[in-house]
C-alpha cells in the first residue's frame, strides 16, 4: 500500500473501533473479524476475501505503535493533501515530507512484516506464521483457529488386563479425572491418542488430544511375541521319548491338551491356533515350547536303569553334526 492511501482509508472504521481503542480492544476485534471473513471459512467468496485483506491491512498499521502514531498524524492533516512516493531520483515525495516529521529516513507501511504485527496474531489464531499470500492449502500461515495443546498421562496394567482391554480412570496434569478405554491387545510402551480430550483451544478451535502411555507388567508364565503368546512347557524324558498327551495353560481360560509326538526334542514349538492376543489387527496363536525336564536326583536303582537304557541305545553322538558345521 502506498503511504498516500492513508488519507483515503479509515482503518478505525474498517475495524469498527473508536480512535481511542486500546491495543487489547484492537486485537480482540481483529481476531473476531478475521475468523469471520477468513478465506478458509468462505471458500470461493471473493467479497469475503477482499474484506479479509482490508481488515488485515488495517490491523497491520494500527497494531504497530509507531505506524499508528504516524497514521493518526497523516489523517489529521486532512484528506485534501496528496503526495507521491516518487520514483528513483524523485524529490519531494511522501517519504521526504514525513521523513523530517518523524525523525528522518521515511516510514513505510510494512504490510505483513515486523514483530508484534498482524502476522503474530494470525499465527496464533490459525496455527502458524508466514506471510500473507495464497497457497495450495489456503492462505499461507492462516489455517483456521489453533488447536489446543495435547495432554499426557500414563498407566500401568497387568499383563492379562492389557490383553483383554479395560476402562481405567486416570488423572491428567490439571488434576481432572478421565475415564480411558484401553483397547484389547495393547502392548507395553504403546501410546493411545484420545482425540479432543486434551487442553481447550485458546481461540475457539478444536481441543487438543490426550496421549496415554501404557506400561504392561510381566507375566510369570506367558510372554508376548507380536500377536502370539509364548509359554515354556516342561515334559519328562519319557514323555518326550515315547510320546504323550499333555495339558498346556492358556491365558484367562482352561488348559488345552496337546499331543507330544514320540522322540520330540527339547525346543520344539507346538502351536495352538487362535489362543493368542486378539486385537483390531487380528488374533494370534499360543506357542508352547517343549522343554525336556531332566531329573536332578536319582536313586541307585534309577541310575542303574538309566545306564541300562544308555547301553541299549545306538552309539550315536548328537553333537557330531554341530561340530561338523562349526568346522565347515
Amino acid at each position: 500500500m502506498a503511504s498516500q492511501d492513508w488519507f483515503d482509508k479509515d482503518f478505525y472504521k474498517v475495524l469498527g473501533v473508536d480512535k481511542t481503542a486500546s491495543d487489547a480492544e484492537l486485537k480482540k476485534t481483529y481476531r473476531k473479524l478475521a475468523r469471520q471473513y477468513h478465506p478458509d471459512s468462505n471458500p470461493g467468496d471473493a467479497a469475503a476475501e477482499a474484506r479479509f485483506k482490508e481488515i488485515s491491512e488495517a490491523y497491520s498499521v494500527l497494531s504497530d505503535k509507531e505506524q499508528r502514531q504516524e497514521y493518526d498524524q497523516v489523517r489529521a492533516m486532512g484528506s485534501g493533501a496528496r503526495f507521491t512516493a516518487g520514483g528513483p531520483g524523485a524529490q519531494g515525495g511522501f517519504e521526504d515530507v514525513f521523513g523530517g516529521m518523524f525523525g528522518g529516513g521515511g516510514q513505510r507501511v510494512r504490510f505483513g512484516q515486523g514483530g508484534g504485527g498482524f502476522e503474530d496474531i494470525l499465527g496464533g489464531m490459525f496455527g502458524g506464521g508466514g506471510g500473507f499470500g495464497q497457497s495450495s492449502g489456503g492462505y499461507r500461515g492462516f489455517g483456521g483457529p489453533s488447536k489446543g495443546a495435547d495432554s499426557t498421562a500414563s498407566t500401568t496394567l497387568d499383563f492379562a488386563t492389557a490383553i483383554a482391554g479395560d476402562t481405567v480412570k486416570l488423572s491428567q496434569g490439571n488434576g481432572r479425572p478421565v475415564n480411558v478405554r484401553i483397547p484389547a491387545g495393547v502392548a507395553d510402551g504403546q501410546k493411545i491418542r484420545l482425540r479432543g480430550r486434551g487442553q481447550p483451544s485458546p481461540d475457539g478451535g478444536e481441543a487438543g488430544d490426550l496421549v496415554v502411555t501404557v506400561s504392561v507388567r510381566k507375566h510369570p508364565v506367558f510372554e508376548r511375541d507380536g500377536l502370539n503368546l509364548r509359554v515354556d512347557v516342561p515334559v519328562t524324558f519319557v514323555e518326550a521319548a515315547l510320546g504323550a498327551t499333555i495339558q498346556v495353560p492358556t491365558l484367562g481360560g482352561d488348559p488345552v491338551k496337546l499331543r507330544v509326538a514320540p522322540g520330540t526334542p527339547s525346543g520344539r514349538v507346538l502351536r495352538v491356533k487362535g489362543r493368542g492376543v486378539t486385537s483390531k489387527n487380528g488374533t494370534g496363536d499360543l506357542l508352547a515350547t517343549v522343554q525336556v525336564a531332566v531329573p536332578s536326583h536319582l536313586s541307585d536303582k534309577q541310575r542303574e536303569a538309566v545306564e541300562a537304557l544308555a547301553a541299549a541305545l545306538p552309539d550315536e553322538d548328537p553333537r557330531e553334526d554341530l561340530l561338523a558345521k562349526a568346522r565347515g
Side-chain angles (χ1 to χ4, degrees), residues 120-189:
D120 292 336
I121 302 301
L122 285 179
M125 289 176 58
F126 301 114
F132 181 82
Q134 202 164 13
S135 65
S136 60
Y139 276 72
R140 186 169 67 253
F142 308 140
S146 58
K147 183 180 179 181
D150 290 345
S151 296
T152 59
S154 61
T155 185
T156 300
L157 304 176
D158 290 333
F159 189 90
T161 301
I163 299 301
D166 197 6
T167 298
V168 299
K169 179 174 288 187
L170 303 178
S171 179
Q172 301 186 63
N174 56 17
R176 291 184 304 171
V178 57
N179 289 326
V180 177
R181 175 61 187 171
I182 304 297
V186 66
D188 183 51

Side-chain angles (χ1 to χ4, degrees), residues 36-148:
Q36 180 179 353
Y37 292 102
H38 191 276
D40 286 352
S41 301
N42 303 273
D45 190 337
E49 179 180 331
R51 177 75 170 127
F52 178 75
K53 290 181 179 180
E54 186 181 30
I55 293 165
S56 299
E57 180 184 19
Y59 185 74
S60 71
V61 174
L62 298 184
S63 63
D64 186 294
K65 183 177 180 181
E66 293 182 2
Q67 289 196 67
R68 182 176 180 180
Q69 182 182 18
E70 181 180 342
Y71 171 75
D72 289 342
Q73 295 189 35
V74 170
R75 292 279 297 176
M77 296 179 63
S79 60
R82 286 292 184 271
F83 296 92
T84 60
Q91 301 295 324
F94 179 90
E95 281 77 18
D96 292 333
V97 175
F98 292 101
M101 181 183 297
F102 300 111
Q107 297 292 321
R108 296 179 181 270
V109 175
R110 297 181 298 277
F111 185 73
Q113 298 178 3
F118 79 103
E119 284 190 355
D120 292 336
I121 302 301
L122 285 179
M125 289 176 58
F126 301 114
F132 181 82
Q134 202 164 13
S135 65
S136 60
Y139 276 72
R140 186 169 67 253
F142 308 140
S146 58
K147 183 180 179 181

